[in-house]
Amino acid sequence: DVKVTQSSRYLVKRTGEKVFLECVQDMDHENMFWYRQDPGLGLRLIYFSYDVKMKEKGDIPEGYSVSREKKERFSLILESASTNQTSMYLCASSLRGQLENKPQHFGDGTRLSIL
Amino acid sequence: ELKVEQNPLFLSMQEGKNYTIYCNYSTTSDRLYWYRQDPGKSLESLFVLLSNGAVKQEGRLMASLDTKARLSTLHITAAVHDLSATYFCAVDMGWGAQKLVFGQGTRLTINP
């Protein structure tokens, strides 16, 4: 089974801090994704990556950056945390390719609170 | 901009009843996913629908896709308590690129 592991289940940080959320997958997937989940809004894509050192903006990239130095690891960075970034953050991974028809596999999520 | 809307957003039903969750989307896509999320848990993939007229079934859940109407349905037959969860549909924006747009989710509660 695919395992997507997020480094923390719960995290509390202060306004202005630089915050790192880590995600590791063990199935050699090319694609990796970061979402945030807020009540009534579903999941919204922040950034995604098709390969090492590649990144693309999703629908809500403002205030975030990402890093993918190794294929299995995708990091989300909040450059200067603000209270409106309090949310549940979900990482996902998937195989590349139109013909693979495979769903994304999700981690357990990190509930981040910014005080 | 692709928009995905689910309805209803909240659904409370009795065990043994049938019901349908609807997922409408605003632009052309031929690839749609259904996920389930239990409280405090991650998303679990239920179905991948790849073409017009696709129908998938697993136990008491059946999903279908009508790309011409831009509509997918998730039908629950003879509901049981274990199916209580939040269900999300997600539409692929472009030809399997896997850039997904999610619906708001439907919170389903099944009462004994």
Side-chain angles (χ1 to χ4, degrees):
Chain A
D1 272 356
V2 176
K3 184 71 174 172
V4 180
T5 303
Q6 294 183 230
S7 53
S8 304
R9 287 302 305 272
Y10 301 94
L11 207 53
V12 180
K13 296 291 182 180
R14 297 209 174 271
T15 302
E17 280 192 69
K18 191 169 186 176
V19 181
F20 293 85
L21 303 183
E22 305 287 347
C23 175
V24 176
Q25 51 93 5
D26 66 358
M27 284 300 291
D28 204 34
H29 284 174
E30 293 87 0
N31 302 332
M32 295 189 76
F33 307 83
W34 275 106
Y35 297 89
R36 63 177 283 176
Q37 182 179 13
D38 299 290
L41 297 178
L43 278 72
R44 292 179 291 167
L45 182 63
I46 304 171
Y47 267 97
F48 60 108
S49 169
Y50 288 142
D51 205 343
V52 176
K53 297 193 185 294
M54 292 182 63
K55 61 183 179 183
E56 296 210 23
K57 293 180 180 179
D59 298 316
I60 52 165
E62 296 79 18
Y64 303 94
S65 63
V66 291
S67 173
R68 191 151 181 217
E69 296 297 319
K70 294 184 178 181
K71 189 174 185 179
E72 67 271 18
R73 186 180 297 270
F74 193 35
S75 303
L76 179 69
I77 304 154
L78 285 65
E79 297 291 344
S80 178
S82 64
T83 54
N84 63 12
Q85 292 178 309
T86 291
S87 187
M88 171 70 86
Y89 289 87
L90 292 166
C91 175
S93 71
S94 70
L95 284 167
R96 181 193 294 164
Q98 181 180 348
L99 298 181
E100 292 294 342
N101 306 328
K102 299 296 185 186
Q104 294 180 15
H105 296 267
F106 284 82
D108 287 338
T110 296
R111 187 166 292 282
L112 176 63
S113 296
I114 308 295
L115 304 179
Chain B
E1 180 190 349
L2 174 59
K3 292 190 185 301
V4 181
E5 293 191 350
Q6 289 181 234
N7 73 84
L9 299 184
F10 299 93
L11 179 58
S12 181
M13 55 194 291
Q14 297 286 329
E15 279 192 328
K17 300 289 188 184
N18 303 333
Y19 211 83
T20 301
I21 299 170
Y22 297 89
C23 174
N24 290 89
Y25 54 97
S26 60
T27 62
T28 301
S29 177
D30 63 354
R31 197 171 296 245
L32 188 141
Y33 303 82
W34 282 97
Y35 286 88
R36 167 183 173 147
Q37 186 179 39
D38 292 300
K41 300 286 184 67
S42 189
L43 276 74
E44 171 192 353
S45 174
L46 293 174
F47 300 109
V48 180
L49 302 170
L50 299 174
S51 61
N52 188 41
V55 177
K56 294 274 185 77
Q57 183 161 5
E58 180 75 32
R60 300 174 189 273
L61 299 177
M62 183 174 72
S64 65
L65 178 62
D66 182 343
T67 57
K68 293 179 181 177
R70 299 176 187 166
L71 171 69
S72 180
T73 61
L74 181 66
H75 187 73
I76 302 141
T77 302
V80 293
H81 179 69
D82 287 352
L83 291 178
S84 296
T86 299
Y87 293 86
F88 291 94
C89 64
V91 178
D92 192 323
M93 289 185 65
W95 311 109
Q98 284 242 355
K99 186 178 177 184
L100 302 183
V101 177
F102 281 77
Q104 311 96 310
T106 297
R107 185 181 294 181
L108 174 63
T109 303
I110 298 168
N111 303 304

Coordinates of all heavy atoms in Angstrom, one line a residue, chain A residues 25-108:
Chain A
Q25 N 6.6 10.2 0.7 CA 5.9 9.1 0.2 C 6.9 8.0 -0.2 O 8.0 8.2 -0.6 CB 5.0 9.5 -1.0 CG 5.7 10.3 -2.1 CD 6.3 9.4 -3.3 OE1 6.1 8.2 -3.3 NE2 7.0 10.1 -4.2
D26 N 6.4 6.7 -0.1 CA 7.3 5.6 -0.2 C 7.0 4.7 -1.5 O 7.5 3.6 -1.6 CB 7.2 4.7 1.0 CG 5.8 4.1 1.2 OD1 4.9 4.3 0.4 OD2 5.7 3.3 2.2
M27 N 6.3 5.3 -2.5 CA 5.9 4.5 -3.6 C 6.5 5.0 -4.9 O 6.0 4.7 -6.0 CB 4.4 4.3 -3.7 CG 3.8 3.4 -2.8 SD 4.5 1.7 -2.9 CE 3.8 1.2 -4.5
D28 N 7.5 5.8 -4.8 CA 8.2 6.3 -6.1 C 7.3 7.0 -7.0 O 7.4 7.0 -8.2 CB 8.8 5.1 -6.8 CG 10.0 5.5 -7.7 OD1 10.7 6.4 -7.3 OD2 10.2 4.9 -8.8
H29 N 6.3 7.7 -6.4 CA 5.4 8.5 -7.2 C 6.1 9.8 -7.7 O 6.8 10.5 -7.0 CB 4.2 9.0 -6.4 CG 3.2 7.8 -6.2 ND1 2.1 8.0 -5.4 CD2 3.2 6.6 -6.7 CE1 1.4 6.9 -5.4 NE2 2.0 6.0 -6.2
E30 N 5.8 10.1 -9.0 CA 6.3 11.4 -9.6 C 5.6 12.6 -9.1 O 6.3 13.6 -8.8 CB 6.2 11.3 -11.1 CG 7.1 10.3 -11.8 CD 6.4 8.9 -11.9 OE1 5.2 8.8 -11.4 OE2 7.0 8.0 -12.4
N31 N 4.3 12.5 -9.0 CA 3.5 13.7 -8.6 C 3.3 13.8 -7.1 O 3.0 12.9 -6.4 CB 2.1 13.6 -9.2 CG 2.1 13.5 -10.8 OD1 3.1 14.0 -11.4 ND2 1.1 12.8 -11.3
M32 N 3.5 15.1 -6.6 CA 3.1 15.3 -5.3 C 2.4 16.7 -5.2 O 2.6 17.6 -6.0 CB 4.4 15.3 -4.4 CG 5.1 14.0 -4.3 SD 6.4 13.8 -3.1 CE 5.4 13.8 -1.5
F33 N 1.5 16.8 -4.2 CA 0.6 17.9 -4.1 C 0.5 18.4 -2.6 O 0.6 17.6 -1.7 CB -0.8 17.5 -4.5 CG -0.8 16.8 -5.9 CD1 -0.5 15.5 -6.0 CD2 -1.2 17.5 -7.0 CE1 -0.6 14.8 -7.3 CE2 -1.2 16.9 -8.3 CZ -0.9 15.6 -8.4
W34 N 0.2 19.6 -2.4 CA -0.2 20.2 -1.1 C -1.5 20.9 -1.3 O -1.7 21.7 -2.2 CB 0.9 21.2 -0.6 CG 2.0 20.6 0.1 CD1 3.3 20.4 -0.3 CD2 1.9 20.0 1.4 NE1 4.0 19.8 0.7 CE2 3.2 19.6 1.7 CE3 0.9 19.9 2.4 CZ2 3.6 19.0 3.0 CZ3 1.2 19.3 3.6 CH2 2.5 18.9 3.9
Y35 N -2.4 20.5 -0.4 CA -3.7 21.2 -0.3 C -4.0 21.7 1.1 O -3.4 21.3 2.1 CB -4.9 20.1 -0.5 CG -4.9 19.4 -1.9 CD1 -4.2 18.3 -2.1 CD2 -5.7 19.9 -2.9 CE1 -4.2 17.6 -3.3 CE2 -5.7 19.3 -4.1 CZ -5.0 18.1 -4.3 OH -5.1 17.5 -5.5
R36 N -4.9 22.7 1.2 CA -5.4 23.0 2.5 C -6.9 22.8 2.4 O -7.6 22.9 1.4 CB -5.1 24.5 2.9 CG -5.7 25.6 2.0 CD -5.4 26.9 2.6 NE -6.2 27.3 3.8 CZ -6.1 28.4 4.5 NH1 -5.1 29.3 4.2 NH2 -6.8 28.7 5.5
Q37 N -7.4 22.3 3.6 CA -8.8 22.0 3.7 C -9.5 22.8 4.8 O -9.1 22.9 5.9 CB -9.0 20.5 4.1 CG -10.4 20.0 4.2 CD -10.6 18.6 4.5 OE1 -9.6 17.9 4.9 NE2 -11.8 18.1 4.4
D38 N -10.5 23.6 4.4 CA -11.3 24.4 5.3 C -12.7 24.1 5.2 O -13.2 23.8 4.1 CB -11.0 25.9 4.9 CG -9.6 26.3 5.0 OD1 -9.1 26.4 6.1 OD2 -8.9 26.5 3.9
P39 N -13.5 24.2 6.3 CA -14.9 23.8 6.3 C -15.7 24.6 5.2 O -15.6 25.8 5.1 CB -15.3 24.2 7.7 CG -14.1 24.1 8.5 CD -13.0 24.6 7.6
G40 N -16.5 23.8 4.5 CA -17.3 24.5 3.4 C -16.6 24.8 2.2 O -17.3 25.2 1.2
L41 N -15.3 24.6 2.1 CA -14.5 25.0 0.9 C -13.9 23.8 0.2 O -13.3 23.9 -0.8 CB -13.5 26.0 1.2 CG -13.9 27.4 1.8 CD1 -12.7 28.3 2.1 CD2 -14.8 28.1 0.7
G42 N -14.0 22.6 0.8 CA -13.4 21.5 0.3 C -11.9 21.6 0.4 O -11.3 22.2 1.3
L43 N -11.2 21.0 -0.6 CA -9.7 21.0 -0.6 C -9.3 22.0 -1.7 O -9.9 22.0 -2.8 CB -9.1 19.6 -1.0 CG -9.0 18.7 0.2 CD1 -10.3 18.1 0.6 CD2 -8.1 17.5 -0.3
R44 N -8.3 22.8 -1.4 CA -7.8 23.8 -2.4 C -6.3 23.5 -2.6 O -5.6 23.4 -1.7 CB -8.1 25.2 -2.0 CG -9.6 25.6 -2.0 CD -9.8 27.0 -1.5 NE -9.5 27.1 -0.1 CZ -9.4 28.3 0.5 NH1 -9.5 29.4 -0.2 NH2 -9.1 28.3 1.8
L45 N -5.9 23.5 -3.9 CA -4.6 23.1 -4.2 C -3.7 24.3 -4.1 O -3.9 25.4 -4.6 CB -4.5 22.7 -5.7 CG -3.2 22.2 -6.2 CD1 -2.7 21.0 -5.5 CD2 -3.3 21.9 -7.7
I46 N -2.6 24.1 -3.3 CA -1.6 25.2 -3.0 C -0.5 25.2 -4.1 O -0.2 26.1 -4.8 CB -1.1 25.1 -1.6 CG1 -2.2 25.1 -0.6 CG2 -0.1 26.3 -1.3 CD1 -1.7 24.8 0.8
Y47 N 0.2 24.1 -4.1 CA 1.3 23.8 -5.0 C 1.3 22.4 -5.4 O 0.9 21.5 -4.6 CB 2.7 24.2 -4.4 CG 3.2 25.6 -4.6 CD1 3.0 26.6 -3.7 CD2 3.9 25.9 -5.8 CE1 3.4 27.9 -3.9 CE2 4.3 27.2 -6.0 CZ 4.1 28.2 -5.0 OH 4.6 29.5 -5.2
F48 N 1.9 22.0 -6.5 CA 2.2 20.7 -6.9 C 3.5 20.6 -7.6 O 4.1 21.6 -8.1 CB 1.0 20.0 -7.7 CG 0.7 20.7 -9.0 CD1 1.0 20.1 -10.2 CD2 0.0 21.9 -9.0 CE1 0.6 20.7 -11.4 CE2 -0.3 22.6 -10.2 CZ 0.0 21.9 -11.4
S49 N 4.0 19.3 -7.8 CA 5.3 19.1 -8.4 C 5.2 17.8 -9.2 O 4.7 16.8 -8.7 CB 6.3 18.9 -7.3 OG 7.5 18.4 -7.8
Y50 N 5.7 17.9 -10.4 CA 5.7 16.7 -11.3 C 7.0 15.9 -11.2 O 7.2 14.8 -11.8 CB 5.5 17.1 -12.8 CG 4.1 17.5 -13.1 CD1 3.9 18.6 -14.0 CD2 3.0 16.9 -12.5 CE1 2.6 19.0 -14.3 CE2 1.7 17.3 -12.8 CZ 1.6 18.4 -13.7 OH 0.3 18.8 -14.0
D51 N 8.0 16.5 -10.6 CA 9.3 15.8 -10.6 C 10.2 16.6 -9.6 O 9.9 17.7 -9.2 CB 9.9 15.8 -12.0 CG 10.9 14.7 -12.2 OD1 11.4 14.1 -11.2 OD2 11.2 14.4 -13.4
V52 N 11.4 16.0 -9.4 CA 12.3 16.7 -8.5 C 12.7 18.1 -9.0 O 12.9 18.2 -10.2 CB 13.6 15.8 -8.4 CG1 14.7 16.5 -7.5 CG2 13.3 14.5 -7.8
K53 N 12.7 19.0 -8.1 CA 13.1 20.4 -8.4 C 12.1 21.1 -9.3 O 12.3 22.3 -9.7 CB 14.5 20.5 -9.0 CG 15.6 20.0 -8.1 CD 16.9 20.5 -8.5 CE 18.0 19.9 -7.7 NZ 18.0 20.4 -6.3
M54 N 11.0 20.5 -9.6 CA 9.9 21.1 -10.4 C 8.8 21.5 -9.4 O 8.4 20.7 -8.5 CB 9.4 20.2 -11.5 CG 10.4 20.0 -12.6 SD 9.8 18.9 -13.9 CE 8.4 20.0 -14.5
K55 N 8.2 22.6 -9.7 CA 7.0 23.0 -8.9 C 6.1 23.9 -9.7 O 6.6 24.6 -10.6 CB 7.5 23.8 -7.6 CG 8.2 25.1 -7.9 CD 8.7 25.7 -6.7 CE 9.5 27.0 -7.0 NZ 10.0 27.6 -5.8
E56 N 4.8 23.8 -9.4 CA 3.9 24.7 -10.1 C 2.8 25.2 -9.2 O 2.5 24.5 -8.2 CB 3.2 23.9 -11.3 CG 4.1 23.4 -12.3 CD 3.4 23.3 -13.7 OE1 2.4 24.0 -13.9 OE2 3.9 22.5 -14.5
K57 N 2.4 26.4 -9.4 CA 1.4 27.0 -8.5 C 0.0 26.3 -8.7 O -0.3 26.0 -9.8 CB 1.3 28.5 -8.8 CG 2.5 29.3 -8.4 CD 2.4 30.7 -8.7 CE 3.6 31.5 -8.3 NZ 3.5 33.0 -8.6
G58 N -0.6 26.2 -7.6 CA -2.0 25.7 -7.7 C -3.0 26.9 -7.7 O -2.6 28.0 -8.2
D59 N -4.1 26.8 -7.0 CA -5.1 27.8 -7.0 C -4.9 28.9 -5.9 O -5.3 30.0 -6.1 CB -6.5 27.2 -6.8 CG -6.8 26.2 -7.9 OD1 -6.5 26.6 -9.1 OD2 -7.3 25.1 -7.6
I60 N -4.2 28.6 -4.9 CA -4.0 29.5 -3.8 C -2.5 29.5 -3.3 O -2.2 29.2 -2.1 CB -4.9 29.3 -2.6 CG1 -4.9 27.8 -2.2 CG2 -6.4 29.6 -3.0 CD1 -5.5 27.5 -0.8
P61 N -1.6 29.9 -4.1 CA -0.2 29.8 -3.7 C 0.4 31.0 -2.8 O 1.4 30.9 -2.3 CB 0.6 29.8 -5.1 CG -0.3 30.7 -5.9 CD -1.7 30.3 -5.5
E62 N -0.4 32.0 -2.8 CA 0.1 33.3 -2.1 C 0.4 32.9 -0.6 O -0.4 32.4 0.1 CB -1.0 34.4 -2.2 CG -1.2 34.9 -3.6 CD -2.2 33.9 -4.3 OE1 -2.9 33.1 -3.7 OE2 -2.2 34.0 -5.6
G63 N 1.6 33.3 -0.2 CA 2.0 33.2 1.2 C 2.7 31.8 1.4 O 3.2 31.6 2.6
Y64 N 2.8 31.0 0.4 CA 3.4 29.7 0.5 C 4.6 29.5 -0.5 O 4.6 30.2 -1.6 CB 2.4 28.6 0.2 CG 1.2 28.6 1.1 CD1 0.0 29.3 0.7 CD2 1.2 28.0 2.4 CE1 -1.1 29.3 1.5 CE2 0.1 28.0 3.2 CZ -1.1 28.6 2.7 OH -2.2 28.7 3.5
S65 N 5.5 28.6 -0.2 CA 6.4 28.2 -1.2 C 6.6 26.7 -0.9 O 6.2 26.1 0.1 CB 7.8 28.9 -1.1 OG 8.4 28.7 0.2
V66 N 7.3 26.0 -1.9 CA 7.6 24.6 -1.7 C 9.0 24.2 -2.1 O 9.7 25.0 -2.8 CB 6.6 23.7 -2.6 CG1 5.2 23.8 -2.1 CG2 6.6 24.2 -4.0
S67 N 9.4 23.0 -1.7 CA 10.7 22.5 -2.1 C 10.6 21.0 -2.4 O 10.0 20.3 -1.6 CB 11.7 22.8 -0.9 OG 12.9 22.2 -1.2
R68 N 11.2 20.6 -3.5 CA 11.3 19.2 -3.8 C 12.7 18.9 -4.2 O 13.0 18.9 -5.4 CB 10.3 18.8 -4.8 CG 10.2 17.3 -4.9 CD 8.8 16.8 -5.4 NE 8.7 15.4 -5.4 CZ 8.0 14.7 -6.4 NH1 7.4 15.4 -7.3 NH2 8.0 13.4 -6.4
E69 N 13.5 18.5 -3.3 CA 14.9 18.2 -3.6 C 15.1 16.7 -3.8 O 16.1 16.3 -4.5 CB 15.8 18.6 -2.4 CG 15.8 20.1 -2.2 CD 16.4 20.9 -3.4 OE1 17.5 20.4 -3.9 OE2 15.9 21.9 -3.8
K70 N 14.2 15.9 -3.3 CA 14.3 14.5 -3.5 C 12.9 14.0 -4.0 O 11.9 14.6 -3.6 CB 14.7 13.7 -2.3 CG 16.1 14.0 -1.8 CD 16.5 13.1 -0.6 CE 17.9 13.4 -0.2 NZ 18.3 12.5 1.0
K71 N 12.9 12.9 -4.7 CA 11.6 12.5 -5.3 C 10.6 12.2 -4.2 O 9.4 12.4 -4.4 CB 11.9 11.2 -6.2 CG 10.7 10.8 -7.0 CD 11.1 9.7 -7.9 CE 9.9 9.3 -8.9 NZ 10.3 8.2 -9.8
E72 N 11.0 11.6 -3.1 CA 10.0 11.1 -2.1 C 9.6 12.2 -1.2 O 8.7 12.0 -0.4 CB 10.6 10.0 -1.3 CG 11.8 10.4 -0.4 CD 13.2 10.3 -1.2 OE1 13.2 10.2 -2.4 OE2 14.2 10.2 -0.4
R73 N 10.2 13.4 -1.2 CA 9.9 14.4 -0.2 C 9.4 15.7 -0.8 O 10.1 16.2 -1.8 CB 11.1 14.6 0.6 CG 11.0 15.6 1.8 CD 12.3 15.7 2.6 NE 12.7 14.5 3.1 CZ 12.4 14.0 4.3 NH1 11.7 14.8 5.1 NH2 12.9 12.9 4.8
F74 N 8.3 16.3 -0.3 CA 7.8 17.5 -0.7 C 7.5 18.4 0.5 O 6.7 18.0 1.3 CB 6.5 17.2 -1.6 CG 6.0 18.4 -2.4 CD1 6.9 19.3 -3.0 CD2 4.7 18.5 -2.6 CE1 6.4 20.3 -3.8 CE2 4.2 19.5 -3.4 CZ 5.0 20.4 -4.0
S75 N 8.1 19.5 0.5 CA 8.0 20.4 1.7 C 7.1 21.6 1.4 O 7.3 22.2 0.3 CB 9.3 20.8 2.2 OG 10.1 19.7 2.5
L76 N 6.3 22.0 2.3 CA 5.5 23.2 2.2 C 6.0 24.2 3.2 O 6.2 23.9 4.3 CB 4.0 23.0 2.4 CG 3.1 24.2 2.4 CD1 3.0 24.7 0.9 CD2 1.7 23.8 2.9
I77 N 6.3 25.4 2.7 CA 6.9 26.5 3.6 C 5.9 27.7 3.7 O 5.5 28.2 2.6 CB 8.2 26.9 3.0 CG1 9.1 25.7 2.9 CG2 8.9 28.0 3.9 CD1 10.2 25.8 1.8
L78 N 5.6 28.1 4.9 CA 4.9 29.3 5.1 C 6.0 30.3 5.5 O 6.6 30.3 6.5 CB 3.9 29.2 6.3 CG 2.6 28.4 6.0 CD1 2.9 26.9 5.7 CD2 1.6 28.6 7.1
E79 N 6.2 31.3 4.6 CA 7.3 32.2 4.7 C 7.2 33.0 6.0 O 8.2 33.3 6.7 CB 7.4 33.0 3.5 CG 7.7 32.3 2.2 CD 9.1 31.7 2.2 OE1 10.0 32.1 3.0 OE2 9.4 30.8 1.3
S80 N 6.0 33.5 6.2 CA 5.8 34.4 7.4 C 4.3 34.1 7.8 O 3.4 34.7 7.2 CB 6.0 35.9 7.1 OG 5.7 36.7 8.2
A81 N 4.1 33.2 8.7 CA 2.8 32.7 9.0 C 1.9 33.8 9.5 O 2.2 34.7 10.2 CB 2.9 31.6 10.1
S82 N 0.6 33.6 9.0 CA -0.4 34.6 9.4 C -1.6 33.8 9.9 O -1.8 32.6 9.6 CB -0.8 35.5 8.3 OG -1.4 34.7 7.2
T83 N -2.5 34.4 10.7 CA -3.6 33.7 11.3 C -4.6 33.1 10.2 O -5.2 32.1 10.5 CB -4.4 34.6 12.2 OG1 -4.8 35.8 11.5 CG2 -3.6 35.0 13.4
N84 N -4.6 33.7 9.0 CA -5.5 33.2 8.0 C -5.0 31.9 7.3 O -5.6 31.3 6.4 CB -5.9 34.2 7.0 CG -4.7 34.7 6.2 OD1 -3.6 34.2 6.3 ND2 -4.9 35.8 5.5
Q85 N -3.8 31.5 7.8 CA -3.2 30.2 7.3 C -3.5 29.1 8.3 O -3.0 28.0 8.1 CB -1.7 30.4 7.0 CG -1.4 31.3 5.9 CD 0.0 31.5 5.6 OE1 0.8 31.9 6.5 NE2 0.5 31.3 4.4
T86 N -4.2 29.4 9.3 CA -4.7 28.3 10.2 C -5.6 27.4 9.4 O -6.6 27.9 8.9 CB -5.4 28.9 11.4 OG1 -4.5 29.6 12.3 CG2 -6.1 27.8 12.2
S87 N -5.3 26.1 9.3 CA -6.0 25.2 8.5 C -5.5 23.8 8.7 O -4.6 23.5 9.4 CB -5.9 25.6 7.0 OG -6.7 24.9 6.2
M88 N -6.2 22.9 8.0 CA -5.7 21.5 7.8 C -5.0 21.4 6.5 O -5.5 21.8 5.5 CB -6.9 20.5 7.9 CG -6.5 19.1 7.5 SD -5.5 18.3 8.8 CE -6.8 17.7 9.8
Y89 N -3.8 20.9 6.6 CA -3.0 20.8 5.4 C -2.8 19.3 5.0 O -2.4 18.5 5.9 CB -1.6 21.5 5.6 CG -1.7 23.0 5.6 CD1 -2.0 23.6 6.8 CD2 -1.6 23.7 4.5 CE1 -2.1 25.0 6.9 CE2 -1.7 25.1 4.5 CZ -2.0 25.7 5.7 OH -2.1 27.1 5.8
L90 N -3.1 19.0 3.8 CA -3.0 17.6 3.3 C -2.0 17.5 2.2 O -2.0 18.3 1.2 CB -4.4 17.2 2.8 CG -5.4 17.0 3.9 CD1 -6.8 16.9 3.2 CD2 -5.2 15.8 4.7
C91 N -1.2 16.5 2.2 CA -0.2 16.2 1.2 C -0.7 15.0 0.4 O -1.4 14.1 1.0 CB 1.1 15.9 1.8 SG 2.4 15.3 0.7
A92 N -0.5 14.9 -0.9 CA -0.9 13.7 -1.7 C 0.2 13.4 -2.7 O 1.0 14.3 -3.0 CB -2.2 14.0 -2.4
S93 N 0.1 12.2 -3.2 CA 1.1 11.8 -4.2 C 0.3 10.9 -5.2 O -0.7 10.3 -4.9 CB 2.3 11.1 -3.7 OG 2.0 9.8 -3.2
S94 N 0.9 10.8 -6.5 CA 0.3 10.0 -7.5 C 1.3 9.6 -8.6 O 2.3 10.3 -8.7 CB -1.0 10.6 -8.1 OG -0.6 11.7 -8.9
L95 N 0.9 8.6 -9.3 CA 1.8 8.3 -10.5 C 1.6 9.3 -11.6 O 0.5 9.8 -11.8 CB 1.4 6.9 -11.0 CG 1.9 5.7 -10.1 CD1 1.2 4.4 -10.6 CD2 3.4 5.6 -10.3
R96 N 2.6 9.5 -12.4 CA 2.4 10.4 -13.5 C 1.8 9.7 -14.7 O 1.9 8.5 -14.8 CB 3.8 10.9 -13.9 CG 3.8 11.9 -15.1 CD 5.2 12.0 -15.7 NE 6.0 12.7 -14.7 CZ 7.4 12.7 -14.8 NH1 8.0 12.1 -15.8 NH2 8.1 13.3 -13.9
G97 N 1.1 10.4 -15.5 CA 0.7 9.8 -16.8 C -0.7 9.7 -17.0 O -1.5 9.3 -16.1
Q98 N -1.2 10.2 -18.1 CA -2.6 10.2 -18.4 C -3.2 8.8 -18.4 O -4.3 8.5 -18.0 CB -2.8 10.8 -19.8 CG -4.3 10.9 -20.2 CD -4.4 11.5 -21.6 OE1 -3.4 12.1 -22.1 NE2 -5.5 11.4 -22.2
L99 N -2.4 7.8 -18.8 CA -2.9 6.5 -19.0 C -2.9 5.7 -17.7 O -3.4 4.6 -17.6 CB -2.0 5.7 -20.0 CG -2.1 6.3 -21.4 CD1 -1.3 5.5 -22.4 CD2 -3.5 6.4 -21.9
E100 N -2.3 6.2 -16.6 CA -2.2 5.5 -15.4 C -3.5 5.4 -14.7 O -3.8 4.4 -14.0 CB -1.1 6.1 -14.5 CG 0.3 6.0 -15.0 CD 0.8 4.5 -15.0 OE1 0.1 3.6 -14.3 OE2 1.7 4.2 -15.7
N101 N -4.3 6.5 -14.8 CA -5.6 6.5 -14.2 C -5.7 6.2 -12.8 O -6.6 5.5 -12.3 CB -6.5 5.5 -15.0 CG -6.5 5.8 -16.5 OD1 -6.4 6.9 -16.9 ND2 -6.7 4.7 -17.2
K102 N -4.7 6.6 -12.1 CA -4.6 6.3 -10.6 C -5.0 7.5 -9.8 O -4.6 8.6 -10.2 CB -3.1 5.9 -10.3 CG -2.6 4.7 -11.0 CD -3.4 3.5 -10.6 CE -2.8 2.2 -11.3 NZ -3.6 1.0 -11.1
P103 N -5.7 7.3 -8.7 CA -6.0 8.4 -7.8 C -4.9 8.9 -7.1 O -3.8 8.3 -7.0 CB -7.1 7.8 -6.9 CG -6.6 6.4 -6.8 CD -6.1 6.0 -8.2
Q104 N -5.0 10.1 -6.5 CA -4.0 10.6 -5.6 C -4.2 9.9 -4.2 O -5.3 9.6 -3.8 CB -4.2 12.1 -5.4 CG -3.9 12.9 -6.7 CD -4.0 14.4 -6.5 OE1 -4.1 14.9 -5.4 NE2 -4.1 15.1 -7.7
H105 N -3.1 9.6 -3.5 CA -3.1 9.0 -2.2 C -2.7 10.1 -1.2 O -1.7 10.8 -1.4 CB -2.1 7.9 -2.2 CG -2.4 6.8 -3.1 ND1 -3.2 5.7 -2.6 CD2 -2.2 6.6 -4.4 CE1 -3.3 4.9 -3.7 NE2 -2.8 5.4 -4.7
F106 N -3.5 10.2 -0.2 CA -3.3 11.3 0.8 C -2.7 10.9 2.1 O -2.9 9.8 2.6 CB -4.7 11.9 1.1 CG -5.3 12.8 0.0 CD1 -5.9 12.2 -1.1 CD2 -5.1 14.1 0.0 CE1 -6.4 13.0 -2.1 CE2 -5.6 14.9 -1.0 CZ -6.3 14.3 -2.1
G107 N -2.0 11.8 2.7 CA -1.5 11.7 4.1 C -2.6 12.0 5.1 O -3.7 12.3 4.7
D108 N -2.3 11.8 6.3 CA -3.3 12.0 7.4 C -3.5 13.5 7.7 O -4.5 13.8 8.4 CB -2.8 11.3 8.7 CG -2.9 9.8 8.6 OD1 -3.7 9.3 7.7 OD2 -2.2 9.1 9.3

